């Protein structure tokens, strides 16, 4: 496929064409020319889109789908199509299907299902067998099969010694250990952030301490063992400060924040709408601002949609009983564009590739063509008609979004929203 992208503004701080409107010529999957004006040629398709912006491809470090076992929530084929149309060239797939991805065979299966798609799938292997927190899974074998990291999705690891052993063992093959931080004992039966809103609504609260204690404990373990640790979806200012201090010590720790924690607060819970029930829970405005500060000062390395499709039977029930999770791929860019500059958004949606050791390609002549197409203009209200996922559990329904992803060019395939 030979293409010429016309009048595209490149957003890539490492490119000499950063913030310049140029034409981009792609031949056989390689960027062969970037210039102010490239003449149209026979056998080249010309791509012209309003307010076209192009950056190196976006990466989402936490995506759940469903297949195998929960295809009613989402299939891998449709999930990758959603990711491509949402601007993501690469996603890290959580191991929380059925069965849990905790063996070499499971990783190979997931890779085979994602083969030849426009968005590349990178499986995360479970850290413990069946994500039960009792025994370390086959980490080395899974990494050899293609796993990019190891973690038990949205589950803490109560056994500190098991995490210590995992961190020590993973160093032998430069493995990345993901540690979701929420002390299950302190969380108890809590379902929302413990504070004014939980008291007002009469819902059991989860103290911020439940996250912060686990962050502190896990960082102490990392300091003792060495190795690499990634803390996903941090949600409190104290957690950010603990990670900031750990980085200052030289610890090899990275972290992410979910889009919904940067944009929404627990005030949205006033109508007991279970679309806003997520883990960790939505926090008050002061915590949201602390997370934004962590993004801007570089403490928070990346932003994730934490995309988690769930069918209506798991969401449309009493708040206490509903399952945690929201879809987020479709709304990630549009929601972030309301609160962050475009260069910061691109940086935080691409930085994770180096952390997860995923091949990255810049916006320069001679580079493999792998990029995201988007616009920064236009405001619209997100509705059910905009949802591409099989499940409709979006916390952003009715929200005003700014700009949108047009699609991607990746793996030699061009996907553009109609």
């Amino acid at each position: 496929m030979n293409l010429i992208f016309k009048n595209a503004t490149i957003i890539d701080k490492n490119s000499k064409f950063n913030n310049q409107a140029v034409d981009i010529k792609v031949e056989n999957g390689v960027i062969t020319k970037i210039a102010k004006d490239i003449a149209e040629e026979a056998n080249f398709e010309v791509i012209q889109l309003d307010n076209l912006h192009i950056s190196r491809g976006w990466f989402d470090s936490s995506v759940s789908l469903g297949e195998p076992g929960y295809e009613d929530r989402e299939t891998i084929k449709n999930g990758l199509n959603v990711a491509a149309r949402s601007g993501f060239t690469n996603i890290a797939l959580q191991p929380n299907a059925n069965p849990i991805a905790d063996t070499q065979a499971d990783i190979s299966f997931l890779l085979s299902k994602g083969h030849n798609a426009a968005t590349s799938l990178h499986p995360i292997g479970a850290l413990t067998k069946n994500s039960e927190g009792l025994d370390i899974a086959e980490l080395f074998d899974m990494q050899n099969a293609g796993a990019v990291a190891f973690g038990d999705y949205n589950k803490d690891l109560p056994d500190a010694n098991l995490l210590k052993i995992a961190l020590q063992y993973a160093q032998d093959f430069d493995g990345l250990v993901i540690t979701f931080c929420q002390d299950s004992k302190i969380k108890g039966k809590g379902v929302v952030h413990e504070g004014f809103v939980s008291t007002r609504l009469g819902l059991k609260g989860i103290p911020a301490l439940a996250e912060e204690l686990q962050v502190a404990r896990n960082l102490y373990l990392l300091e003792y063992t060495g190795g690499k640790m990634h803390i996903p979806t941090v949600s409190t200012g104290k957690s950010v400060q603990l990670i900031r201090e750990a980085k200052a010590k030289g610890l090899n720790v990275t972290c992410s924040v979910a889009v919904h924690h940067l944009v929404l607060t627990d005030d949205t819970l006033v109508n007991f709408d279970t679309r806003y029930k997520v883990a960790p829970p939505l926090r008050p405005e002061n915590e949201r601002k602390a997370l934004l500060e962590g993004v801007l000062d570089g403490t928070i390395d990346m932003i994730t949609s934490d995309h988690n499709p769930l069918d209506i039977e798991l969401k449309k029930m009493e708040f206490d009983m509903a399952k945690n999770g929201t879809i987020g791929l479709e709304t990630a860019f549009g929601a972030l564009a309301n609160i962050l500059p475009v260069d910061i958004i691109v940086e935080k949606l691409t930085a994770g590739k180096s952390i997860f050791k995923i091949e990255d390609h810049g916006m320069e002549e001679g580079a493999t063509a792998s990029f995201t197409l988007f616009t920064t203009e236009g405001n619209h209200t997100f509705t059910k008609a905009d949802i591409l996922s099989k499940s409709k559990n979006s916390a952003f329904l009715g929200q005003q979004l700014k700009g949108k992803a047009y699609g991607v060019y990746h793996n030699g395939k061009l996907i553009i929203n109609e």
Side-chain angles (χ1 to χ4, degrees):
M1 180 181 289
N2 294 328
L3 303 165
I4 297 175
F5 296 86
K6 300 294 289 184
N7 196 29
T9 300
I10 290 179
I11 304 296
D12 184 351
K13 66 180 183 180
N14 296 318
S15 171
K16 66 180 181 180
F17 300 102
N18 187 34
N19 284 317
Q20 296 182 37
V22 294
D23 292 352
I24 302 170
K25 186 177 182 180
V26 175
E27 297 181 76
N28 299 317
V30 175
I31 299 173
T32 56
K33 188 175 182 181
I34 300 176
K36 280 294 181 182
D37 186 36
I38 298 176
E40 297 182 18
E41 298 181 30
N43 301 320
F44 276 79
E45 181 180 353
V46 175
I47 308 298
Q48 290 182 295
L49 298 166
D50 292 340
N51 187 237
L52 176 59
H53 286 60
I54 289 182
S55 73
R56 60 181 66 202
W58 300 345
F59 165 65
D60 195 328
S61 61
S62 179
V63 172
S64 301
L65 292 179
E67 189 176 2
Y70 303 119
E71 288 85 355
D72 53 328
R73 302 178 191 176
E74 188 59 278
T75 63
I76 289 175
K77 180 179 180 180
N78 189 63
L80 291 176
N81 179 58
V82 173
R85 295 185 181 279
S86 302
F88 293 90
T89 58
N90 296 267
I91 63 166
L93 180 65
Q94 293 287 356
N96 57 330
N98 185 20
I100 298 289
D102 61 0
T103 69
Q104 182 176 5
D106 295 327
I107 300 301
S108 297
F109 169 80
L110 293 172
L111 287 170
S112 68
K113 293 293 290 187
H115 180 67
N116 209 33
T119 293
S120 296
L121 181 153
H122 306 277
I124 296 172
L127 183 64
T128 63
K129 292 181 180 177
N130 206 35
S131 288
E132 292 175 343
L134 300 176
D135 301 290
I136 300 295
E138 302 172 5
L139 308 188
F140 180 66
D141 288 345
M142 285 193 287
Q143 180 148 312
N144 284 341
V148 294
F150 310 99
D152 297 331
Y153 181 65
N154 278 5
K155 292 184 177 182
D156 73 316
L157 191 56
D159 188 339
N161 188 56
L162 198 64
L163 178 56
K164 176 179 73 71
I165 292 170
L167 285 165
Q168 291 172 325
Y169 174 50
Q171 289 180 66
D172 292 341
F173 46 89
D174 196 31
L176 177 63
V177 174
I178 300 175
T179 56
F180 178 74
C181 294
Q182 184 172 257
D183 189 295
S184 55
K185 294 294 185 182
I186 292 179
K187 172 186 177 290
K189 296 182 180 179
V191 292
V192 297
H193 172 76
E194 181 183 80
F196 174 78
V197 173
S198 66
T199 303
R200 177 183 165 198
L201 299 180
L203 295 171
K204 295 182 178 69
I206 303 172
L209 183 69
E211 174 174 310
E212 294 155 3
L213 272 180
Q214 282 279 303
V215 170
R217 185 203 74 169
N218 293 346
L219 289 173
Y220 272 120
L221 287 169
L222 179 65
E223 186 172 8
Y224 176 80
T225 61
K228 297 192 301 185
M229 177 185 290
H230 177 67
I231 301 177
T233 58
V234 295
S235 66
T236 80
K238 181 62 175 176
S239 295
V240 175
Q241 181 57 29
L242 288 167
I243 294 167
R244 187 179 287 122
E245 293 168 357
K247 288 187 172 188
K249 289 181 183 178
L251 299 188
N252 194 347
V253 59
T254 57
C255 66
S256 70
V257 63
V259 174
H260 44 268
H261 285 118
L262 287 175
V263 177
L264 306 174
T265 69
D266 59 353
D267 286 335
T268 58
L269 301 172
V270 65
N271 292 320
F272 298 93
D273 192 332
T274 59
R275 290 183 297 112
Y276 302 114
K277 187 181 181 187
V278 292
L282 296 176
R283 307 286 188 186
E285 177 66 7
N286 65 308
E287 301 287 16
R288 189 189 75 84
K289 288 181 176 177
L291 295 174
L292 276 174
E293 182 182 336
V295 168
L296 293 171
D297 72 13
T299 302
I300 295 176
D301 301 274
M302 65 188 86
I303 299 174
T304 174
S305 71
D306 200 23
H307 181 84
N308 188 6
L310 299 168
D311 55 52
I312 192 170
E313 288 82 5
L314 297 172
K315 275 295 192 179
K316 205 168 183 62
M317 56 174 64
E318 296 89 345
F319 201 96
D320 286 1
M321 302 296 293
K323 192 173 177 65
N324 292 308
T326 176
I327 58 173
L329 285 169
E330 297 101 314
T331 51
F333 178 78
L336 291 173
N338 282 320
I339 59 170
L340 288 169
V342 66
D343 58 328
I344 298 295
I345 297 172
V346 168
E347 178 188 344
K348 298 303 178 181
L349 291 181
T350 56
K353 284 190 276 190
S354 63
I355 294 166
F356 282 72
K357 294 192 294 186
I358 292 167
E359 192 173 14
D360 196 14
H361 305 283
M363 299 301 303
E364 57 191 27
E365 293 177 356
T368 297
S370 171
F371 43 73
T372 296
L373 298 83
F374 61 100
T375 175
T376 59
E377 293 182 348
N379 296 291
H380 66 282
T381 301
F382 188 72
T383 67
K384 266 193 174 181
D386 299 313
I387 294 178
L388 304 171
S389 302
K390 287 183 69 176
S391 295
K392 311 303 178 186
N393 56 309
S394 172
F396 291 95
L397 282 173
Q399 296 283 327
Q400 281 288 115
L401 304 181
K402 181 181 178 182
K404 65 178 182 180
Y406 281 129
V408 300
Y409 181 84
H410 183 64
N411 290 336
K413 294 179 171 61
L414 177 67
I415 301 292
I416 296 180
N417 290 308
E418 298 175 359

